[in-house]
Amino acid sequence: MIPIELVVFDMAGTTVLDDGVVEQSFQRAAERTGVADRMPWDDALAYVRETMGQSKIDVFTHLSGGDRAAAERATAAFEGAYEEIIAEQGATEIPGARAAIESLKDAGLQVALTTGFAPVTRDAIIAALGWADLVDIALSPADAGRGRPAPDLVLTALLRAGASDVRAVAVAGDTASDVRSGRSAGAGFVAGVLTGAHDRVALTDAGADAVLASVVDLQPALAAQGLLPLAAVV
């Protein structure tokens, strides 16, 4: 087994408390652009929940029936609404997330945050949390090519971190798309966490090596599998 050198975390629902913010932002975007008017509201909302973790432009392209211009307008409205809500309510970490990241870094690992949000929204969340100096890498689909469930975000994080092997990467996220992204990238360890959108069955069916209560449990899970660098377990 190859020791883990890089941990790639999702943001909303994994390291950052969602608390319905994504759905609130979607509702504001839908009201402002009419992007979901072609289908019943409950169906549109169900699709948003099903595709949590994926690139928002891809989600809105589906909802708009393939109208890319409409999807771009809706995505911009969504990002604007999310930033409004962050400004109104602030951003809150998943309990223990910062300490978990700090512990991984103290153990000699690099840490990346990935998201389906645009860079401007991603950076607003990181700034609101005061995490600018905490993580080594922060990526959006615009930085990598394709969003999840494609492997691009994980592979881009690998390249930027200079990790020796894709098997030296661990991935953790709260959605099936997060898990599939890690699996398709060839990551050495892929964990689902139960603090966000999808349940244990969905995460297991997507191929998670482990389903954890939260990111707090990731480092012990890696240690149990003998996947931490030797210096981290001495």
Side-chain angles (χ1 to χ4, degrees):
M1 292 185 291
I2 296 177
I4 297 300
E5 301 169 16
L6 168 68
V7 179
V8 179
F9 286 115
D10 171 54
M11 291 181 66
T14 302
T15 52
V16 184
L17 189 66
D18 176 26
D19 202 23
V21 176
V22 170
E23 291 186 15
Q24 292 176 52
S25 301
F26 167 64
Q27 183 169 358
R28 292 190 188 187
E31 289 170 351
R32 292 170 184 176
T33 66
V35 71
D37 288 352
R38 73 183 189 90
M39 65 177 68
W41 173 254
D42 287 346
D43 290 350
L45 187 57
Y47 184 76
V48 169
R49 290 170 176 162
E50 178 187 342
T51 57
M52 285 285 192
Q54 296 185 20
S55 172
K56 297 301 174 279
I57 186 67
D58 293 340
V59 174
F60 283 117
T61 297
H62 173 84
L63 292 174
S64 65
D67 185 336
R68 190 69 175 187
E72 289 173 354
R73 290 192 296 272
T75 301
F78 173 89
E79 300 287 355
Y82 199 101
E83 289 183 60
E84 289 171 5
I85 295 170
I86 292 299
E88 293 163 6
Q89 303 176 9
T92 304
E93 69 172 72
I94 293 291
R98 183 185 182 97
I101 292 171
E102 289 174 337
S103 181
L104 289 165
K105 288 175 67 68
D106 288 345
L109 282 66
Q110 294 188 71
V111 172
L113 294 181
T114 62
T115 180
F117 297 142
V120 64
T121 305
R122 176 200 70 211
D123 293 345
I125 297 168
I126 292 173
L129 291 167
W131 283 9
D133 296 328
L134 178 64
V135 297
D136 301 292
I137 301 160
L139 298 171
S140 296
D143 305 305
R146 297 170 295 176
R148 297 179 291 237
D152 301 33
L153 285 164
V154 176
L155 296 176
T156 301
L158 162 76
L159 292 171
R160 293 206 183 176
S164 63
D165 191 302
V166 72
R167 292 169 295 175
V169 179
V171 174
D174 68 296
T175 71
S177 290
D178 296 320
V179 173
R180 292 191 183 106
S181 178
R183 283 272 79 94
S184 61
F189 189 83
V190 181
V193 295
L194 296 172
T195 49
H198 292 164
D199 62 15
R200 181 178 297 276
V201 172
L203 296 168
T204 301
D205 287 350
D209 293 308
V211 178
L212 310 173
S214 81
V215 293
V216 172
D217 300 315
L218 179 62
Q219 189 167 353
L222 294 174
Q225 294 293 321
L227 291 173
L228 289 179
L230 184 60
V233 296
V234 170

